[in-house]
Amino acid sequence: TVLAAAPIGIGRVTNRVVNWVNQQIELMTGYSSDELLGQNARTLYENDSEYDRVGQIKYAQIRERGIGTIETRWRRRDGTVIDVLLSSSPIDPMNLETGVVFTAMDVTERKRADAERRQLEAQIQHAQKLESLGVLAGGIAHDFNNLLMGVLGNAELALDGLPASS
């Protein structure tokens, strides 16, 4: 009941074949449990290379630390791609053939918000650079104007000392 009611996707795979999923996996992926059960987990992944990458990294982590966690991309039934934080733990740490329980959390929105935040930060940095450049240019123009006023003042004094026919 806890697994079924959890607000995060939970499932079980044996040799990367889906044995059980909770309703949250169905909501995340758009696949019904009937469509997933007995299927290779490859069905969930964006492409074959992502499926292979996740398998290599995650199962190496499981053998090393007892748990494997990785960010990946799944393709929903409707074709849209979602970012997923996937964490897996073996049912029997001494025998991976008994299966692995996994949790899957859709982090698509969080990643989109992070990308927007980085873009806004870059825009702010750019605006600050332009503002600094404007202040610098204004300072230089002010200093240059002060120098020019001295030159122009002396030139006017020199003109006043010349005869009109010069």
Side-chain angles (χ1 to χ4, degrees):
T1 302
V2 171
L3 297 177
I8 191 168
I10 301 173
R12 185 182 70 226
V13 295
T14 303
N15 296 320
R16 298 191 83 182
V17 172
V18 179
N19 307 106
W20 180 85
V21 293
N22 70 350
Q23 186 177 8
Q24 192 62 31
I25 292 286
E26 293 179 24
L27 295 172
M28 282 175 55
T29 65
Y31 290 104
S32 70
S33 60
D34 291 338
E35 292 173 301
L36 289 173
L37 297 183
Q39 296 296 315
N40 189 295
R42 183 180 308 265
T43 304
L44 296 171
Y45 288 87
E46 179 181 26
N47 54 47
D48 290 345
S49 63
E50 183 64 5
Y51 169 82
D52 294 337
R53 181 186 77 86
V54 169
Q56 290 171 354
I57 294 171
K58 192 171 52 124
Y59 283 96
Q61 290 175 350
I62 289 171
R63 283 188 286 280
E64 185 179 313
R65 297 190 308 246
I67 194 166
T69 303
I70 191 168
E71 260 192 39
T72 186
R73 293 170 62 88
W74 282 0
R75 184 171 306 279
R76 292 176 40 85
R77 189 172 195 267
D78 65 8
T80 59
V81 176
I82 59 173
D83 295 297
V84 175
L85 178 61
L86 190 61
S87 188
S88 301
S89 181
I91 294 169
D92 178 0
M94 304 312 275
N95 181 8
L96 290 179
E97 300 292 319
T98 59
V100 173
V101 173
F102 69 89
T103 61
M105 182 169 47
D106 185 348
V107 293
T108 306
E109 202 51 41
R110 185 198 77 198
K111 288 189 80 162
R112 187 194 57 74
D114 284 348
E116 282 181 11
R117 182 186 49 77
R118 281 191 303 274
Q119 183 181 9
L120 286 173
E121 286 173 355
Q123 288 174 345
I124 289 170
Q125 274 187 332
H126 183 67
Q128 288 172 338
K129 286 178 186 178
L130 289 177
E131 181 183 3
S132 296
L133 186 59
V135 170
L136 179 64
I140 291 171
H142 184 73
D143 290 346
F144 190 66
N145 190 42
N146 288 344
L147 291 172
L148 277 179
M149 292 312 293
V151 170
L152 289 173
N154 284 325
E156 282 185 32
L157 287 174
L159 282 174
D160 286 343
L162 288 176
S165 62
S166 171

